[in-house]
Amino acid sequence: MDNTNTNSFQKQKNKEEMKKQLITFVLMIGFTIVAFAIVATNAMDKMFAVPLLLILAVVQVGFQFYYFMHMKDRGHEFPSVMIYGGVFAAMLTIAALVAIVWW
Amino acid sequence: MSIAAAQKRGFGAFLWDYLTTVDHKKIAHLYLVGGGFFFILGGLEALFIRIQLIAPENDFISAGLYNEMFTMHGTTMIFLAAMPLLLGLMNAVMPLQIGARDVAFPFLNSLGFWLFMFGGILLNCSWFLGGAPDAGWTAYTPLSAVSPTHGVDFYVLGLQISGAGTLMGGINFLATIVTMRAPGMTYMRMPLFTWTTFVTSTLILFAFPALTVGLFLLMFDRMFGSAFFDVALGGNSIIWQHLFWIFAHPEVYILILPVFGVFSEVIPTFSKKRLFGYTSMVFATMLIAFLGFMVWAHHMFTVGLGPVANAIFAIATMAIAVPTGIKIFNWLATMWGGSITINSAMLWSLGFIPSFTIGGMTGIMLASAVADYQYHDSYFVVAHFHYVIVGGVVFGLFAGLHYWWPKMFGRILNEKLGKIGFWLFFIGFHLTFFIQHFLGLMGMPRRYWVFLEDQGLDTGNLVSTIGTFLMAISATIFLINIIYTSVKGEKASADPFDGRSLEWAISSPPPYYNFKQLPLVRGLDPLWVEKMDGKDNLAPAEPLGDIHMPNSSILPFIISFGFFIAGFGFIYQTDHQAWNFAIFIGMGIALGSMLMRSLKDDHGYHISKAELEREAD
Ligand code: HEM
Ligand SMILES: [Cu+2]
């Protein structure tokens, strides 16, 4: 990579990247506040609160992986395969325990 | 006097070298010695089991001791013998096959070995400390949760420690294969043994956490008064079975896939043909691994999961036979029309094919949930898994050892002893286990201390025990072969078998930095490609330069020793609070050494170019 030639292009890219990082960072803090608020204020019924918290959590994990850990960038196919493989194995386990043991 | 002192210092230096080594080739030796030691222990336990069952109502060993015997036999063979021996072969060969100078994390590699070793020793200490575990290698709750001696505690802590080591090994191999392949070594040019190492490591990564969790829950139930598995307090003892088999079914594939890799190296080499259907072999391996995660409940057909769950798991199980069948046919097709050399390595491979196929066939029979109500927990199951594990894994280990011995130790194993050993083992193996299918079908349950006279079980059991002794003799011959070879064996050239893959491109044994210059890989079977072009070695992919090497370290040994001490503390703190000190001291040693490792920068050292130039090729 030649820094001197691609300088302005690189600068532009870095700037955008920084913006994205900041936005996701703010969003994640926001999500966390929302999550705490829901629980602290008893604003919602348990029926709604639990799935909502789970969704917020999953989105945050997504942000973490794709933005902060750069899985959205190229060259991360292999880590993706491994992570989704692991998620698959874990989900199977949970699904089985829920479906067969407690259902 | 002075000579004795010199020799003593020599031995001390030798020992220190191995205690501190981070070289994958020496760690491979450690794994082979450690695994071999536990293989002998497990074999002795098997002998005791079979002597007890030689005649009806025998009382060679007591009922309680018998329970300890079969529990320790299974646990030892799977966790402390088969797996470490396989990890040993992987360590010795995989980095060479991809043209790497070591594994990605040499320090972790050493830590993985020492954790395994200390875990295994901890487990076996139970023999001398009030009784070994006695709840079966599967340690089903509630039995394992209430078993009164400390045996099961040793099982929990021993496997936890050695399991952590295995997990590290798996992660290390993954990182190595992903990041350290030589220039030109694309994924689809990797030898099959490297591929199966890769897929096996993935299985280790995903399956071992289930065991870790299960063991922790059991530990808390036994030691700290929790009730995860205690039905009376609202727990559920079936959860253990799920967690265990979610781990243990992939585990059986962790055992068999690497030897599939071994056979995929041995058979093409001695048939003088490239592996038939390379691509299908790779994808069959992946498919087996994938399906392997969806079949665990076939061990639980009789638990009462209900017809829907049973049907799903039965079909998923049968599906695994398809990729396995693909592999068998590919090996046969590889030999078809080849110019075959039959030596010891090849004999073990040829013996494997029919033996393993019988095991796969009984597997399909067991996979039929309705029929399994008849077979379950009978000697039929015992026959099945010994056909796949001995006829598959053990045959594969012997094939791999005969094949790579010259690469690992620089000498060729004696062929005559090798062949005698094979035939004794092959005959003994089928004598021991074939008849067990019928014993099982006649109703002999597994894990029973005695059987009654005149129920048609007497002759079968006698035959089975006789076979066991043939295998024991064969194992002894192998040991003799090792000693004979190290004293009088023929020195091996770099490429004694006219091999195809990269490990045969460097001297036997390889120099400690493996490749002076990283090789340029131009195709599948890279060495063979060059041979066909009339060259005798690969072109280098880089100019000669300094080589960066890791420093040796005693820390892995100390860390593992710390956990070993802490293990005793955890086991005995239920008897007396004073044992908490052992926990603190052990954990202190382990965590302190880890801290030291983290804080102290260790950049390794360089072998200078001048030094490399001085060494003749
Ligand atoms: C075609 C492939 C296979 C099929 C369909 C299959 C099927 C089964 C089934 C259904 C059982 C449960 C029987 C029962 O407890 O009633 C079983 C047990 C077992 N299988 Fe397999 N199997 C296959 C291959 C393997 C391989 C390759 C290995 C190991 C290398 C293996 C090792 C075992 C072990 C250790 C057990 C007994 C575990 C225990 O209860 O202690 N199997 N198999
Ligand atoms: Cu299974």
Side-chain angles (χ1 to χ4, degrees):
Chain A
M1 259 181 278
D2 200 353
N3 291 347
T4 44
N5 284 340
T6 50
N7 218 334
S8 66
F9 175 68
Q10 197 63 38
K11 234 180 187 165
Q12 182 67 23
K13 260 188 91 173
N14 285 348
K15 216 168 141 189
E16 269 170 37
E17 182 68 28
M18 194 63 201
K19 211 167 85 189
K20 281 184 199 157
Q21 296 261 358
L22 274 177
I23 293 174
T24 35
F25 185 58
V26 171
L27 276 177
M28 286 178 82
I29 290 181
F31 279 22
T32 311
I33 293 174
V34 171
F36 270 99
I38 291 174
V39 179
T41 58
N42 277 326
M44 268 185 216
D45 204 56
K46 232 185 176 172
M47 271 290 283
F48 286 112
V50 172
L52 189 61
L53 289 181
L54 285 177
I55 290 172
L56 289 177
V58 169
V59 174
Q60 290 214 31
V61 170
F63 279 156
Q64 176 76 27
F65 280 161
Y66 279 89
Y67 284 92
F68 296 144
M69 289 165 79
H70 294 284
M71 252 167 71
K72 68 175 177 18
D73 300 342
R74 273 202 294 160
H76 289 70
E77 295 78 16
F78 188 76
S80 315
V81 171
M82 294 306 281
I83 288 175
Y84 285 112
V87 168
F88 166 74
M91 288 312 248
L92 259 183
T93 306
I94 295 169
L97 288 182
V98 171
I100 309 184
V101 181
W102 288 302
W103 205 346
Chain B
M1 177 73 194
S2 64
I3 292 173
Q7 264 176 352
K8 209 170 153 203
R9 201 173 329 115
F11 180 73
F14 174 81
L15 196 66
W16 182 252
D17 186 28
Y18 270 95
L19 290 180
T20 60
T21 186
V22 293
D23 177 352
H24 72 99
K25 297 178 288 303
K26 285 187 181 155
I27 291 174
H29 297 170
L30 290 173
Y31 267 119
L32 293 181
V33 171
F37 169 72
F38 287 119
F39 189 79
I40 293 171
L41 270 191
L44 289 175
E45 284 150 11
L47 275 181
F48 285 130
I49 295 173
R50 279 319 315 172
I51 293 173
Q52 167 61 21
L53 294 178
I54 194 169
E57 294 186 77
N58 201 0
D59 63 355
F60 174 68
I61 51 178
S62 71
L65 188 57
Y66 182 80
N67 290 351
E68 294 171 25
M69 240 8 126
F70 73 68
T71 300
M72 284 300 282
H73 166 69
T75 314
T76 304
M77 283 304 197
I78 299 240
F79 292 100
L80 308 179
M83 234 181 359
L85 288 170
L86 292 169
L87 288 173
L89 281 185
M90 294 174 184
N91 253 313
V93 176
M94 182 274 288
L96 304 182
Q97 283 195 331
I98 61 172
R101 294 217 169 91
D102 205 323
V103 291
F105 308 113
F107 182 90
L108 264 196
N109 201 13
S110 157
L111 182 58
F113 168 77
W114 288 111
L115 282 173
F116 142 68
M117 198 63 205
F118 276 109
I121 293 172
L122 179 65
L123 183 53
N124 276 282
C125 283
S126 61
W127 284 115
F128 310 103
L129 298 170
D134 56 358
W137 84 281
T138 51
Y140 274 14
T141 54
L143 178 61
S144 60
V146 298
S147 169
T149 65
H150 276 304
V152 178
D153 300 331
F154 278 99
Y155 172 94
V156 170
L157 268 305
L159 290 192
Q160 197 70 279
I161 292 173
S162 74
T166 309
L167 199 48
M168 276 175 206
I171 293 171
N172 207 347
F173 289 151
L174 280 176
T176 307
I177 296 174
V178 174
T179 59
M180 294 180 62
R181 283 166 291 128
M185 176 61 79
T186 57
Y187 279 110
M188 290 313 276
R189 284 178 183 174
M190 295 195 314
L192 233 94
F193 184 69
T194 299
W195 258 116
T196 54
T197 299
F198 184 68
V199 175
T200 303
S201 304
T202 315
L203 285 179
I204 290 178
L205 178 62
F206 292 160
F208 264 76
L211 177 71
T212 308
V213 170
L215 288 174
F216 267 127
L217 298 187
L218 185 56
M219 176 175 167
F220 275 67
D221 268 20
R222 285 186 61 93
M223 295 172 193
F224 305 120
S226 64
F228 294 107
F229 305 122
D230 187 347
V231 179
L233 291 173
N236 185 331
S237 54
I238 301 298
I239 294 175
W240 168 265
Q241 292 192 26
H242 280 293
L243 285 174
F244 186 82
W245 287 117
I246 286 170
F247 149 73
H249 185 81
E251 166 71 15
V252 304
Y253 285 100
I254 291 170
L255 296 177
I256 202 69
L257 287 181
V259 303
F260 282 178
V262 172
F263 295 126
S264 306
E265 303 290 312
V266 171
I267 292 176
T269 302
F270 295 115
S271 304
K272 285 276 175 301
K273 276 178 68 188
R274 70 173 268 188
L275 183 67
F276 187 90
Y278 171 84
T279 317
S280 68
M281 283 298 225
V282 171
F283 283 100
T285 309
M286 291 183 186
L287 196 58
I288 290 176
F290 179 73
L291 290 174
F293 273 99
M294 292 187 275
V295 299
W296 77 87
H298 65 214
H299 297 275
M300 300 168 62
F301 282 149
T302 58
V303 162
L305 304 176
V308 176
N310 274 6
I312 293 172
F313 280 103
I315 289 172
T317 304
M318 291 178 191
I320 293 201
V322 177
T324 316
I326 291 176
K327 283 185 168 279
I328 302 272
F329 283 114
N330 278 339
W331 288 315
L332 293 176
T334 305
M335 286 186 281
W336 189 293
S339 100
I340 298 178
T341 314
I342 296 192
N343 55 12
S344 311
M346 196 59 178
L347 269 180
W348 286 107
S349 310
L350 292 174
F352 151 82
I353 292 179
S355 309
F356 183 81
T357 307
I358 295 174
M361 198 187 65
T362 54
I364 300 292
M365 294 170 71
L366 291 166
S368 164
V370 271
D372 187 57
Y373 274 82
Q374 190 65 32
Y375 309 135
H376 182 65
D377 264 351
S378 77
Y379 257 79
F380 191 81
V381 176
V382 177
H384 157 69
F385 67 70
H386 282 93
Y387 261 81
V388 280
I389 293 184
V390 181
V393 183
V394 177
F395 280 32
L397 280 169
F398 276 118
L401 286 173
H402 276 280
Y403 181 55
W404 281 309
W405 200 268
K407 189 48 67 185
M408 293 187 288
F409 299 100
R411 283 168 193 265
I412 300 176
L413 280 174
N414 184 282
E415 271 301 315
K416 201 176 215 165
L417 288 175
K419 284 182 179 159
I420 297 172
F422 166 77
W423 284 111
L424 276 176
F425 199 96
F426 187 74
I427 295 167
F429 161 68
H430 284 283
L431 269 185
T432 305
F433 295 113
F434 196 72
I435 197 109
Q436 290 185 358
H437 292 109
F438 301 100
L439 290 173
L441 293 178
M442 284 188 283
M444 181 166 161
R446 68 191 280 203
R447 293 175 172 169
Y448 275 32
W449 171 52
V450 287
F451 58 94
L452 296 180
E453 213 170 343
D454 289 334
Q455 297 190 318
L457 305 175
D458 308 12
T459 322
N461 274 299
L462 178 63
V463 171
S464 188
T465 303
I466 293 172
T468 312
F469 278 96
L470 292 186
M471 285 191 277
I473 296 171
S474 168
T476 316
I477 291 179
F478 188 72
L479 286 182
I480 294 172
N481 197 348
I482 292 177
I483 297 168
Y484 179 84
T485 302
S486 54
V487 180
K488 286 201 157 155
E490 184 193 332
K491 281 246 166 44
S493 66
D495 183 17
F497 300 132
D498 198 6
R500 316 173 71 82
S501 41
L502 270 183
E503 74 267 31
W504 305 110
I506 47 178
S507 63
S508 312
Y512 60 105
Y513 47 81
N514 294 354
F515 296 89
K516 202 176 266 185
Q517 291 159 284
L518 292 184
L520 179 67
V521 175
R522 296 198 298 142
L524 179 62
D525 290 345
L527 184 58
W528 195 256
V529 169
E530 304 299 332
K531 284 179 185 172
M532 290 299 100
D533 271 3
K535 303 188 186 114
D536 57 351
N537 216 325
L538 284 91
E542 56 175 16
L544 190 62
D546 293 0
I547 296 179
H548 186 201
M549 297 292 289
N551 280 328
S552 300
S553 169
I554 189 70
L555 285 180
F557 182 88
I558 298 177
I559 294 174
S560 312
F561 180 70
F563 284 123
F564 176 72
I565 303 279
F568 277 105
F570 278 114
I571 291 168
Y572 285 107
Q573 48 79 28
T574 50
D575 296 346
H576 197 289
Q577 278 202 330
W579 282 94
N580 282 327
F581 278 112
I583 301 181
F584 292 135
I585 293 172
M587 285 308 225
I589 295 175
L591 297 178
S593 326
M594 285 184 192
L595 191 70
M596 206 158 114
R597 167 75 185 172
S598 310
L599 295 182
K600 214 183 92 206
D601 278 339
D602 181 354
H603 297 296
Y605 67 100
H606 283 87
I607 316 173
S608 72
K609 188 173 159 187
E611 213 172 316
L612 287 168
E613 272 165 351
R614 239 175 291 131
E615 275 175 54
D617 278 271

